[in-house]
Amino acid sequence: AQRVTQPEKLLSVFKGAPVELKCNYSYSGSPELFWYVQYSRQRLQLLLRHISRESIKGFTADLNKGETSFHLKKPFAQEEDSAMYYCALRVPTDSWGKLQFGAGTQVVVTP
Amino acid sequence: GAGVSQTPSNKVTEKGKYVELRCDPISGHTALYWYRQSLGQGPEFLIYFQGTGAADDSGLPNDRFFAVRPEGSVSTLKIQRTERGDSAVYLCASSLSAGQNTEAFFGQGTRLTVV
């Protein structure tokens, strides 16, 4: 079965420092990978997806099939980046509605 | 409202009781999804509707769980004979269609507590 692993439950960084959230997955084919974010008291929302290859709010993520990773990075963290981040995977042979989420990483950015 | 709406926002029920959780998707969205999020975990897929039909119900944990979407809009997740282990936040999401470039929009969730 496919699995998404986010090894860090909590990541505490200073404002202006780089931040990297790790995501590893287990799947032998070519999955779709996503990062979702949930700010305090707000609903879960899509941050970015690997097929778009875009930068959102300064965040980027590169799919590394050799290492089966999809780490999320930002060179200079801001206080408003404090949130819960979830990595998610969709397998092409599964239904479009079926996302597999990791357990999430809580990011705290301190001034 | 413009977003996915879930009611109630909180539900406390006694073990063994029946509950219904409602989801109003964004108008015009044909795809609707239910997820369950237990404490300290990421969302876990339950069921996905395309229109009125359940395209994938492989995530429903057992036959106490059932979901309907009779008119292709509002969906109801039904849980019979609730157990304490059913306590979780139940999330609903909808998307315009189902496909590689579609984005699913999530509701605020219903927090279910079984006592």
Side-chain angles (χ1 to χ4, degrees):
Chain A
Q2 302 79 36
R3 187 175 179 86
V4 178
T5 303
Q6 294 180 250
E8 304 128 335
K9 283 192 183 298
L10 174 65
L11 209 53
S12 186
V13 299
F14 287 109
K15 178 182 172 182
V19 60
E20 181 179 29
L21 289 75
K22 291 186 167 45
C23 173
N24 289 90
Y25 65 90
S26 59
Y27 178 62
S28 57
S30 297
E32 271 191 87
L33 274 298
F34 306 82
W35 277 99
Y36 279 81
V37 62
Q38 187 166 26
Y39 301 102
S40 179
R41 302 185 199 284
Q42 294 188 28
R43 55 192 68 191
L44 193 63
Q45 58 186 281
L46 178 67
L47 180 62
L48 54 78
R49 66 186 91 190
H50 89 272
I51 58 172
S52 301
R53 305 180 75 83
E54 57 196 344
S55 172
I56 302 291
K57 299 185 179 182
F59 284 98
T60 58
D62 290 318
L63 176 59
N64 185 323
K65 291 185 180 179
E67 296 182 358
T68 58
S69 68
F70 188 56
H71 303 327
L72 183 69
K73 302 175 186 179
K74 184 168 181 176
F76 308 104
Q78 303 299 313
E79 289 179 68
E80 55 265 30
D81 296 328
S82 295
M84 193 74 180
Y85 291 79
Y86 295 96
C87 182
L89 167 151
R90 179 158 61 204
V91 169
T93 52
D94 265 342
S95 64
W96 289 108
K98 194 171 183 177
L99 287 172
Q100 174 91 32
F101 284 86
T105 297
Q106 179 75 49
V107 171
V108 177
V109 181
T110 52
Chain B
V4 176
S5 175
Q6 291 188 246
T7 53
S9 53
N10 280 284
K11 175 74 177 176
V12 180
T13 190
E14 292 181 348
K15 179 175 176 295
K17 298 287 189 186
Y18 167 83
V19 295
E20 288 189 353
L21 311 180
R22 178 187 167 104
C23 173
D24 277 273
I26 294 172
S27 178
H29 280 197
T30 62
L32 184 146
Y33 321 85
W34 283 99
Y35 284 80
R36 174 171 73 173
Q37 187 170 19
S38 301
L39 195 62
Q41 301 297 317
E44 175 192 16
F45 172 80
L46 295 177
I47 186 169
Y48 149 55
F49 287 90
Q50 183 58 50
T52 60
D56 184 349
D57 65 358
S58 61
L60 294 177
N62 52 59
D63 60 7
R64 295 187 298 105
F65 288 75
F66 190 70
V68 296
R69 194 185 185 201
E71 297 178 358
S73 178
V74 170
S75 176
T76 305
L77 179 65
K78 308 180 181 196
I79 311 174
Q80 297 178 320
R81 305 183 303 280
T82 51
E83 300 177 357
R84 292 200 177 88
D86 298 335
S87 296
V89 175
Y90 288 81
L91 296 171
C92 177
S94 71
S95 62
L96 193 58
S97 62
Q100 196 172 42
N101 293 316
T102 56
E103 178 180 347
F105 295 86
F106 281 82
Q108 288 276 38
T110 293
R111 182 176 298 279
L112 175 67
T113 304
V114 182
V115 298

